[in-house]
Amino acid sequence: MFEPLPSSASISAALQQRLEEAYHGRSAYQARSRNLREGQPRFCNRLILESSPYLLQHAHNPVDWYPWCDEAFERAAAEQKPVFLSVGYATCHWCHVMEHESFESVEIAAQLNRDFVCVKVDREERPDVDSLYMGAVQVLSGRGGWPMSVWLDPQRRPFFAATYLPPHDGQRGAAFGFVTLLQGLARTYREEPQRVAEAAAQVVEVLRRSSARSQAAAQADPLSLQQLERLAERAVEQAREDYDPVHGGRRGAPKFPSSFPIRMLLRHALRSAELEAFELAGRSLEAMACGGIYDQLGGGFHRYSTDERWRVPHFEKMLYDNALLSVAYLEAIQLGREPRFASDDTSALLETFERVVLDTLDFVRRELALPGGGFASAFDADSEGEEGRYYLWEPEQVDAVLGEAAPAFLRAYVDAKGAAEAGKVLHLRESDELAWRRHAPSRARLLAARALRPPPLRDDKLICAWNAYTISALAKAGVVLERPDLLDLALGTEAALRAKLCVEGLYRRSHAEGRASAQVFLEDQTAVCAALLDVYDATWEPDFLERAIALAAKTEAVFGDREHGSWFLVPEDSELLVREKPEHDGAEPAPSSLAIDNALRLAAYAGDALGEGLDWRGIAERGLRAQLPLLSRYPQTGNEAMVALFRKLMFESEGERQVLVVWSEGAQALAAACRSQLGKRLRPGVSVLGAREEELERLGRLCPWVRGKTSLGAGLTVYVCAQGRCEAPLLLSTAAQLSELEEVLKQKCDC
């Protein structure tokens, strides 16, 4: 039996029995707690009933935690207590610190349980709760971060907020510790209710005004070509100003490996033929590949670099970072194949980029794969109680594993003149694929030795959007790098996502312990729609295009703001105080930006009479107009929107350019070769459709501009259309003739 939670009487005998049964019913379960009795946890709270790995980490705190639920707020109202909301995630280093210092303390837990109703939220499982109350944290404290600590009234209105708090005054430089703060807030809530109510009302008003501004933004006039040009020029100019000419990426530290400004620069380089933009993007990608932010032994990127040289990372490994960065490297490879950017230096760079993509996706496949398909969300930064311990190497440890090969390896991978941490993090001084191959046996031996260390925690929660980004990366890599095994993995992951998460046409947020979460959010729908379009591009199977159109239509119906443009994060029936519109890029793309790009792609695929009866071109236009104030003031906060804007810019300035490839029976291999050739180049302004003869009628139902087009005979029939006019179709019967198609594309589409 578990001990009663200190200063709490909220757990009935029946609930206690459920907690006991849940605990004993978990196979291979390892309780996290320093409060033990005879090797077993002394306490257990409601979080043992949850599936989120982060919530389960806190299931044996002496804190009387609730998950986010109505019951918690109903109890707070009945007992006239404030709610303490703590938000974090499973691989968050400072979340672990605060848990160890405060939430595992019986004394502090007793104070929490006596004076507050305590709610714990996994930000990855509930991005709506996280986003709304992070806005409150920024309003109240001027900064954000995790763990997020927010105090609410029973109406869910925030009146005080902070991030990490040490337990006692003076610790870690804090004037006031968590204990003092709890005492003061409990007293204020009890003795000055009017002051609390006024503070809560003010915060909610700020949040609602912010939301109202985003809704009013779409009243601007339609975007002209000149506006698009000015926005693009300003974004590129700001990217240049922020660029670190020595180490790549943005100036200063910490350095985050964002893929969005890189992809924006690549599109600018494609459109303008500007070598400098390509070089800026390429140098950033090269510096990241050489740095300690990249796992030189096992592949994959860590969360961010704590220094300006990409050397010393924060050691979390997130699925979304590795998927999104893989796409950036793949697009750099595509653009680097253009004759105008070709050189010996570019060839060497592309070899490095290809290796990084393959090793990164191999890490994802090897270490994040889940039973039944899909991928786990992240690896923790900590192991054995120390951040980065799993990845760090003392020189004597390298000596012990490599023996005579150690000195050469250390010269290549360790900077003895750097900071103490840099001397333990493996990184390359420069990109050199010959040296990389020469040290391959040493890396393999070190990787095998590292595998014997206690590994960091893996968060086994499957997150929909992050898996969708991974599907896009795998599908693109399958075509660009001619790796059918990666394309097969993309197809398998898409099928698993559909089976585990798709309910009534929308995708649930997450899946853990055999069950899907109940919530649906905008970002998951837009990411899956983009993944379906990317898989269609890689396969020309109409099922994927049909599902993408249906999902985009459902997303528009559930999340779209038809009056003002753009999209809400949550459906209309959300219980939150404010329906936010997520338009700022963070570590992930803003889902409204993805929705814009999806709508532009669907408009180009489908033509004038559009799938599901929706005006996708108009939807994209309204979405961009809604983001215009943000993009005008802060173009670097909306880089994913700028990626979409460059696609629209190409459409507006050069006209929509479409290619249809129809193949006859027996020409499947030739069609595959054509699809591969077309996919090797970066062509965001060109939409390519493909169909077997027998599928042409079905494709015409989805994309009316295809109707009336036929196969001319054995082989491939290719229609190239620009600005609404189609050239005479080409009939290609051999792989050698595919070069004719490239020539036509170059002449007619300037691509």
Side-chain angles (χ1 to χ4, degrees), residues 651-668:
F651 289 164
E652 293 291 331
S653 62
E654 301 154 15
E656 290 177 359
R657 296 164 292 175
Q658 298 156 319
V659 177
L660 172 65
V661 180
V662 184
W663 65 94
S664 59
E665 186 177 354
Q668 292 92 335

mmCIF file of all heavy atoms in Angstrom, residues 651-668:
data_model
loop_
_atom_site.group_PDB
_atom_site.id
_atom_site.type_symbol
_atom_site.label_atom_id
_atom_site.label_comp_id
_atom_site.label_asym_id
_atom_site.label_seq_id
_atom_site.Cartn_x
_atom_site.Cartn_y
_atom_site.Cartn_z
ATOM 1 N N PHE A 651 4.598 31.766 -58.104
ATOM 2 C CA PHE A 651 3.343 31.625 -58.836
ATOM 3 C C PHE A 651 2.901 32.962 -59.424
ATOM 4 O O PHE A 651 2.469 33.040 -60.580
ATOM 5 C CB PHE A 651 2.243 31.097 -57.908
ATOM 6 C CG PHE A 651 2.393 29.657 -57.497
ATOM 7 C CD1 PHE A 651 1.671 29.160 -56.433
ATOM 8 C CD2 PHE A 651 3.249 28.798 -58.173
ATOM 9 C CE1 PHE A 651 1.789 27.832 -56.038
ATOM 10 C CE2 PHE A 651 3.383 27.476 -57.789
ATOM 11 C CZ PHE A 651 2.647 26.992 -56.725
ATOM 12 N N GLU A 652 2.988 34.035 -58.620
ATOM 13 C CA GLU A 652 2.480 35.338 -59.048
ATOM 14 C C GLU A 652 3.350 35.959 -60.133
ATOM 15 O O GLU A 652 2.849 36.558 -61.082
ATOM 16 C CB GLU A 652 2.393 36.290 -57.844
ATOM 17 C CG GLU A 652 1.363 35.908 -56.805
ATOM 18 C CD GLU A 652 -0.057 36.076 -57.288
ATOM 19 O OE1 GLU A 652 -0.290 36.954 -58.146
ATOM 20 O OE2 GLU A 652 -0.940 35.333 -56.829
ATOM 21 N N SER A 653 4.666 35.839 -59.978
ATOM 22 C CA SER A 653 5.564 36.530 -60.911
ATOM 23 C C SER A 653 5.805 35.729 -62.182
ATOM 24 O O SER A 653 6.053 36.304 -63.248
ATOM 25 C CB SER A 653 6.900 36.831 -60.230
ATOM 26 O OG SER A 653 7.539 35.632 -59.846
ATOM 27 N N GLU A 654 5.727 34.409 -62.092
ATOM 28 C CA GLU A 654 6.071 33.578 -63.246
ATOM 29 C C GLU A 654 4.906 32.734 -63.736
ATOM 30 O O GLU A 654 5.012 32.044 -64.751
ATOM 31 C CB GLU A 654 7.242 32.652 -62.865
ATOM 32 C CG GLU A 654 8.485 33.427 -62.431
ATOM 33 C CD GLU A 654 9.365 32.627 -61.488
ATOM 34 O OE1 GLU A 654 9.175 31.404 -61.388
ATOM 35 O OE2 GLU A 654 10.243 33.234 -60.848
ATOM 36 N N GLY A 655 3.776 32.788 -63.023
ATOM 37 C CA GLY A 655 2.639 31.960 -63.387
ATOM 38 C C GLY A 655 2.791 30.552 -62.841
ATOM 39 O O GLY A 655 3.899 30.058 -62.659
ATOM 40 N N GLU A 656 1.658 29.922 -62.581
ATOM 41 C CA GLU A 656 1.712 28.544 -62.103
ATOM 42 C C GLU A 656 2.188 27.636 -63.230
ATOM 43 O O GLU A 656 1.746 27.743 -64.371
ATOM 44 C CB GLU A 656 0.340 28.107 -61.598
ATOM 45 C CG GLU A 656 -0.045 28.805 -60.306
ATOM 46 C CD GLU A 656 -1.431 28.430 -59.833
ATOM 47 O OE1 GLU A 656 -2.097 27.644 -60.529
ATOM 48 O OE2 GLU A 656 -1.849 28.930 -58.777
ATOM 49 N N ARG A 657 3.096 26.721 -62.864
ATOM 50 C CA ARG A 657 3.689 25.824 -63.855
ATOM 51 C C ARG A 657 3.401 24.393 -63.439
ATOM 52 O O ARG A 657 3.669 24.010 -62.294
ATOM 53 C CB ARG A 657 5.185 26.091 -63.961
ATOM 54 C CG ARG A 657 5.484 27.498 -64.476
ATOM 55 C CD ARG A 657 6.906 27.926 -64.222
ATOM 56 N NE ARG A 657 7.162 28.102 -62.794
ATOM 57 C CZ ARG A 657 8.361 28.373 -62.300
ATOM 58 N NH1 ARG A 657 9.397 28.503 -63.097
ATOM 59 N NH2 ARG A 657 8.526 28.515 -61.008
ATOM 60 N N GLN A 658 2.820 23.643 -64.349
ATOM 61 C CA GLN A 658 2.349 22.306 -64.032
ATOM 62 C C GLN A 658 2.884 21.307 -65.055
ATOM 63 O O GLN A 658 3.044 21.624 -66.239
ATOM 64 C CB GLN A 658 0.810 22.279 -64.028
ATOM 65 C CG GLN A 658 0.199 23.189 -62.977
ATOM 66 C CD GLN A 658 -1.210 23.610 -63.319
ATOM 67 O OE1 GLN A 658 -1.512 23.917 -64.474
ATOM 68 N NE2 GLN A 658 -2.087 23.637 -62.320
ATOM 69 N N VAL A 659 3.143 20.115 -64.551
ATOM 70 C CA VAL A 659 3.601 19.019 -65.401
ATOM 71 C C VAL A 659 2.713 17.816 -65.113
ATOM 72 O O VAL A 659 2.448 17.497 -63.946
ATOM 73 C CB VAL A 659 5.077 18.661 -65.124
ATOM 74 C CG1 VAL A 659 5.510 17.458 -65.962
ATOM 75 C CG2 VAL A 659 5.987 19.858 -65.404
ATOM 76 N N LEU A 660 2.237 17.171 -66.160
ATOM 77 C CA LEU A 660 1.476 15.931 -66.023
ATOM 78 C C LEU A 660 2.204 14.835 -66.780
ATOM 79 O O LEU A 660 2.520 14.990 -67.964
ATOM 80 C CB LEU A 660 0.063 16.091 -66.588
ATOM 81 C CG LEU A 660 -0.761 14.801 -66.685
ATOM 82 C CD1 LEU A 660 -1.037 14.225 -65.298
ATOM 83 C CD2 LEU A 660 -2.062 15.035 -67.450
ATOM 84 N N VAL A 661 2.470 13.734 -66.085
ATOM 85 C CA VAL A 661 3.121 12.578 -66.682
ATOM 86 C C VAL A 661 2.126 11.419 -66.669
ATOM 87 O O VAL A 661 1.626 11.038 -65.603
ATOM 88 C CB VAL A 661 4.393 12.179 -65.906
ATOM 89 C CG1 VAL A 661 5.059 10.964 -66.549
ATOM 90 C CG2 VAL A 661 5.366 13.350 -65.836
ATOM 91 N N VAL A 662 1.814 10.887 -67.854
ATOM 92 C CA VAL A 662 0.902 9.740 -67.982
ATOM 93 C C VAL A 662 1.697 8.585 -68.565
ATOM 94 O O VAL A 662 2.426 8.762 -69.548
ATOM 95 C CB VAL A 662 -0.293 10.074 -68.897
ATOM 96 C CG1 VAL A 662 -1.280 8.905 -68.925
ATOM 97 C CG2 VAL A 662 -0.981 11.357 -68.451
ATOM 98 N N TRP A 663 1.568 7.413 -67.974
ATOM 99 C CA TRP A 663 2.317 6.280 -68.512
ATOM 100 C C TRP A 663 1.400 5.103 -68.828
ATOM 101 O O TRP A 663 0.380 4.883 -68.175
ATOM 102 C CB TRP A 663 3.452 5.869 -67.590
ATOM 103 C CG TRP A 663 3.093 5.326 -66.250
ATOM 104 C CD1 TRP A 663 2.931 4.032 -65.891
ATOM 105 C CD2 TRP A 663 2.891 6.103 -65.062
ATOM 106 N NE1 TRP A 663 2.639 3.932 -64.564
ATOM 107 C CE2 TRP A 663 2.611 5.193 -64.017
ATOM 108 C CE3 TRP A 663 2.916 7.466 -64.762
ATOM 109 C CZ2 TRP A 663 2.349 5.600 -62.718
ATOM 110 C CZ3 TRP A 663 2.663 7.880 -63.472
ATOM 111 C CH2 TRP A 663 2.388 6.954 -62.473
ATOM 112 N N SER A 664 1.802 4.395 -69.867
ATOM 113 C CA SER A 664 1.028 3.256 -70.345
ATOM 114 C C SER A 664 1.469 1.990 -69.632
ATOM 115 O O SER A 664 2.484 1.967 -68.925
ATOM 116 C CB SER A 664 1.216 3.100 -71.856
ATOM 117 O OG SER A 664 2.591 2.910 -72.146
ATOM 118 N N GLU A 665 0.703 0.937 -69.817
ATOM 119 C CA GLU A 665 1.044 -0.340 -69.214
ATOM 120 C C GLU A 665 2.420 -0.792 -69.695
ATOM 121 O O GLU A 665 2.741 -0.700 -70.872
ATOM 122 C CB GLU A 665 -0.006 -1.383 -69.593
ATOM 123 C CG GLU A 665 0.187 -2.712 -68.889
ATOM 124 C CD GLU A 665 -0.910 -3.705 -69.240
ATOM 125 O OE1 GLU A 665 -1.869 -3.311 -69.944
ATOM 126 O OE2 GLU A 665 -0.800 -4.869 -68.813
ATOM 127 N N GLY A 666 3.229 -1.250 -68.770
ATOM 128 C CA GLY A 666 4.578 -1.693 -69.113
ATOM 129 C C GLY A 666 5.625 -0.606 -69.013
ATOM 130 O O GLY A 666 6.811 -0.889 -69.184
ATOM 131 N N ALA A 667 5.216 0.645 -68.745
ATOM 132 C CA ALA A 667 6.181 1.752 -68.662
ATOM 133 C C ALA A 667 6.397 2.205 -67.226
ATOM 134 O O ALA A 667 6.854 3.321 -66.987
ATOM 135 C CB ALA A 667 5.706 2.927 -69.518
ATOM 136 N N GLN A 668 6.092 1.320 -66.253
ATOM 137 C CA GLN A 668 6.233 1.718 -64.856
ATOM 138 C C GLN A 668 7.665 2.098 -64.508
ATOM 139 O O GLN A 668 7.905 3.070 -63.783
ATOM 140 C CB GLN A 668 5.776 0.582 -63.928
ATOM 141 C CG GLN A 668 4.280 0.296 -63.987
ATOM 142 C CD GLN A 668 3.947 -0.786 -65.007
ATOM 143 O OE1 GLN A 668 4.697 -1.002 -65.964
ATOM 144 N NE2 GLN A 668 2.823 -1.448 -64.812
#
